[in-house]
């Protein structure tokens, strides 16, 4: 029995067949109908839709044949596809040298008669055949051959439909930007594993400080970073692990090897060590990871994702660029995960008018005298039954989800209105996320709030971090000029924490420079930090800017910063963020509701540079 020759287009043919992803799938009525019709018109006991794979023939649909798979060497169809546009008719297999000793002829089912028409895939290559067979010798009428050819064309159409449906289903499960699986596919996969009782590990990853990337490089830059991160994760995770983009800058992995998951997390961190090239610049990114194993870390399969989300939130809280492993934490964790928080935040802000936030105030004091120089307002989000959510946790989410403008406007309006009613003209510091101030009509909003509340513009200081300054220097300078023309002060927050450089201080006319808590803490012991601190203090002095040392917790730190020449100090040593100092609040009760004289409040008179 000579094997059928391999057709010239074998490679393309196989590629087309495999791309259909139809091999080894269950029987489907949409294909069975053709086999049934073929058997009926031929009045034959055997009919099949066969697909010819590299070494085997696999039957998508069959009548009168017990096995779905057989070696390619015994396949009649392997001969039929050699003439893609013509049927193959074998009237008596025992008399045909190609088939006489074929086990399907010499043994069961004992084929004597065969008529098969090649079936083409959507790309035009013959990938199999629609055939009928009988156990007695027969002739094939022209009508039968023609009908088989019509049916084979019908099969091609059905294959095309199969292909389209498959592509659409894939599209519905694919993230358009990265080509990874999307959140729906991710959740489905996790449910399926849990249902099958397959142990697995879920890792949720969040790119740290991603809002800054969008600030600096725009959305195109952000998209490029996400695509690069996706391809690095995909390459590192290996073929067994599902990698998905869940939303924004959040990725999810499902690994079938829970015991290896901690090591996988380590490898994923390392993937980010190499800098990213974004818009021609090298940028460092890091990820925070939440890790949960099922069923080792928790038994309830439907809580795996929620638990991973919470672990991720904890990783973020504990300083980013780290993994929080559910195995290592206690049973009674509290607080919501990032997705839960994002949802709660949106619900809290939309519709506006019933914001559940509060403002806390923290003293900024004169370094020399300890007298009150200003109050910085810090947002608080008390959640019923869940304690307070830290701003470091929800501000980045608000930035990423486009809710920050809403939040900042609420803070600004509320803080300015409160301050306008105080008994002494203490300056207030309000934090604004840069994109709001510089990209939207932030200045117009500030102006209208000041006008409406009657607060003297000189009492307001806007604190920003450096992020947006880098991207659009001209717009930033224009905004700053407008603010200063209004009389509003501008402070550079967190100096020394990230990539802010001395160049900013030179290029942007800040009234106040706030030295980051980390720099303040490191300077006494670290020579490089001390050198930076001294350089900033000197530069600020020369530029006429006021300096605030943040995060002063001990007397020793306060003394050190005073000696180094910081103008103002802020930190737990002088008061934790809390209620407005009593002396500033208007007395509503008591005789005549007289105002408490401001003399009980010692006030510093350091003003921002003119
Ligand atoms: P920030 O503007 O640098 O605020 C100072 C943070 O340091 C506050 O944390 C404050 O509670 C904390 N802090 C003050 N003194 C000390 C100290 O001596 N030691 C230590 N360890 N910490 C101290 P908080 O309130 O959790 O705010 C964190 C960040 O969230 C703020 O950093 C700011 O970037 C942001 N944020 C807070 N409120 C708002 C707001 O209303 N709008 C915007 N856009 N961001 C806000
Ligand atoms: Ca601040
Ligand atoms: Ca700060």
């Amino acid at each position: 029995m000579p094997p059928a020759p391999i057709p010239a287009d074998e490679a393309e043919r196989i590629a087309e067949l495999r791309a259909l992803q139809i091999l080894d799938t269950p029987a489907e009525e949409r294909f069975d109908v053709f086999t049934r019709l073929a058997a009926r018109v031929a009045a034959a006991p055997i009919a099949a839709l066969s697909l010819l794979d590299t070494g085997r023939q696999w039957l998508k649909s069959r009548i009168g044949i017990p096995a779905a798979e057989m070696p390619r060497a015994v396949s009649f169809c392997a001969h039929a596809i050699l003439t893609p546009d013509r049927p193959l008719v074998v009237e008596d297999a025992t008399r045909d040298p190609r088939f006489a000793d074929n086990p399907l002829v010499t043994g069961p089912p004992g084929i004597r008669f065969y008529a098969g028409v090649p079936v083409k895939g959507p790309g035009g290559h013959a990938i199999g055949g629609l055939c009928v067979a009988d156990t007695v010798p027969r002739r094939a009428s022209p009508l039968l051959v023609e009908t088989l050819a019509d049916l084979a064309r019908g099969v091609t159409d059905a294959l095309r439909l199969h292909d389209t449906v498959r592509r659409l289903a894939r599209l519905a499960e694919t993230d358009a930007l990265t080509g990874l699986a999307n959140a729906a596919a991710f959740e489905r996969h996790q449910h399926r594993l849990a249902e099958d009782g397959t142990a697995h590990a879920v890792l949720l990853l969040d790119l740290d400080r991603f809002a800054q990337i969008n600030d600096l490089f725009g959305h195109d830059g952000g998209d490029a970073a996400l695509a690069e991160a996706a391809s690095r994760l995909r390459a590192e995770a290996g073929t067994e692990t599902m990698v998905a983009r869940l939303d924004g800058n959040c990725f999810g992995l499902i690994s079938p090897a829970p015991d290896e998951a901690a090591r996988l997390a380590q490898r994923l961190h390392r993937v980010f060590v190499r800098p990213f090239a974004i818009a021609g610049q090298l940028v460092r990114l890091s990820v925070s990871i939440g890790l949960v194993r099922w069923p080792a870390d928790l038994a309830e399969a439907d809580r795996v994702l929620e638990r991973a989300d919470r672990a991720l939130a904890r990783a973020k809280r504990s300083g980013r660029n780290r993994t929080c492993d559910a195995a290592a934490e206690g049973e009674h964790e509290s607080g919501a995960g990032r997705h839960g928080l994002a949802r709660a935040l949106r619900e809290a802000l939309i519709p506006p008018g019933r914001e559940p936030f509060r403002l806390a105030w923290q003293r900024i004091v004169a370094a020399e005298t300890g007298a009150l120089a200003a109050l910085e307002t810090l947002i608080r989000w008390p959640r019923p039954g869940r304690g307070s959510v830290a701003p470091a946790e929800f501000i980045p989410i608000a930035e990423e989800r486009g809710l920050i403008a809403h939040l900042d406007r609420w803070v600004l309006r509320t803080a300015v209105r409160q301050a306008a009613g105080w008994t002494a003209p203490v300056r207030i510091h309000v934090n604004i996320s840069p994109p709001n101030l510089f990209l939207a009509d932030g200045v117009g909003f500030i102006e209208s709030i000041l006008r409406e509340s009657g607060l003297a513009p000189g009492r307001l200081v806007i604190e920003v971090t450096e992020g947006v300054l880098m991207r659009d220097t001209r717009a930033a300078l224009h905004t700053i000029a407008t603010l200063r023309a209004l009389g509003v002060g501008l402070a550079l927050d967190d100096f020394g924490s990230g990539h802010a450089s001395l160049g900013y201080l030179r290029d942007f006319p800040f009234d106040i420079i706030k030295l980051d808590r980390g720099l303040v803490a490191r300077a006494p012991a670290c020579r490089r930090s001390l050198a930076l601190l001294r350089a900033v203090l000197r530069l600020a002095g020369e530029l006429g800017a006021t300096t605030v040392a943040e995060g002063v917790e001990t007397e020793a730190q306060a003394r050190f910063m005073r000696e180094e020449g910081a103008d103002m100090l802020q930190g737990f040593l002088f008061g934790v963020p809390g209620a407005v100092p009593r002396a500033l609040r208007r007395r509503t009760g008591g005789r005549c509701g007289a105002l408490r004289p401001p003399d009980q409040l010692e006030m510093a008179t350091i003003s921002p540079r003119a």
Side-chain angles (χ1 to χ4, degrees), residues 146-164:
E146 227 171 87
T147 308
L148 281 179
D150 284 345
L151 290 176
R153 273 191 291 276
V155 172
T156 299
D157 283 343
L159 285 169
R160 211 170 273 135
L161 185 64
H162 163 90
D163 194 38
T164 307

Side-chain angles (χ1 to χ4, degrees), residues 195-259:
E195 253 173 43
D196 296 349
T198 309
H200 58 279
V202 169
L203 296 94
L204 292 188
L205 273 74
D206 206 277
L207 293 184
D208 296 328
R209 301 182 200 282
F210 193 70
Q212 279 184 9
I213 299 292
N214 278 332
D215 282 357
L216 294 175
F217 302 104
H219 281 279
D220 288 349
D223 285 356
L226 287 171
E228 171 68 17
S231 86
R232 289 191 192 184
L233 290 172
R234 181 64 278 170
E236 188 61 42
T239 47
E240 300 296 299
T241 296
M242 176 189 231
V243 183
R245 175 166 171 244
L246 303 183
D247 75 314
N249 55 332
C250 188
F251 294 88
L253 281 80
I254 299 178
S255 157
D259 296 341

Side-chain angles (χ1 to χ4, degrees), residues 358-360 362 376-380 389-396 399 404 407-408 410-412 430-434 436 463 465 493-494 514 516-517 550-554 557 570-577:
R358 302 272 171 281
L359 291 184
Q362 188 178 30
E376 176 175 1
T377 190
L378 295 160
I379 192 166
R380 295 292 174 259
V389 191
E393 212 172 309
F394 68 86
I395 297 276
E399 286 175 353
I404 191 69
L407 203 76
D408 277 351
W410 180 86
V411 172
L412 195 68
V430 178
N431 294 283
I432 298 284
S433 279
N436 294 325
E463 291 195 5
T465 49
D493 204 355
D494 298 345
K514 300 190 74 176
D516 185 67
R517 175 157 66 92
E550 294 191 293
V552 177
E553 295 180 348
T554 63
Q557 283 177 334
Q570 179 181 8
F572 292 167
L573 182 65
F574 307 99
V576 294

Side-chain angles (χ1 to χ4, degrees), residues 24 55 57 73 150 157 196 228 259 268 289 331 339 385 391 417 419 504 517 520 524 566:
D24 303 306
Q57 156 172 281
D150 284 345
D157 283 343
D196 296 349
E228 171 68 17
D259 296 341
L268 296 176
I289 304 180
E331 273 307 284
H339 292 294
R417 281 182 186 161
Y504 284 115
R517 175 157 66 92
V520 170

Side-chain angles (χ1 to χ4, degrees), residues 203 205 233 236-237 253 259-273 287-291 293 321-325:
L203 296 94
L205 273 74
L233 290 172
E236 188 61 42
L253 281 80
D259 296 341
E260 291 296 310
R263 255 191 299 276
L264 174 61
Q266 280 173 7
R267 294 201 330 257
L268 296 176
H269 281 297
R270 278 203 293 276
V271 155
F272 287 86
V273 168
V287 278
S288 298
I289 304 180
L291 161 62
R293 297 163 200 79
N321 192 20
R322 62 189 64 195
T323 294
C324 182
D325 189 331

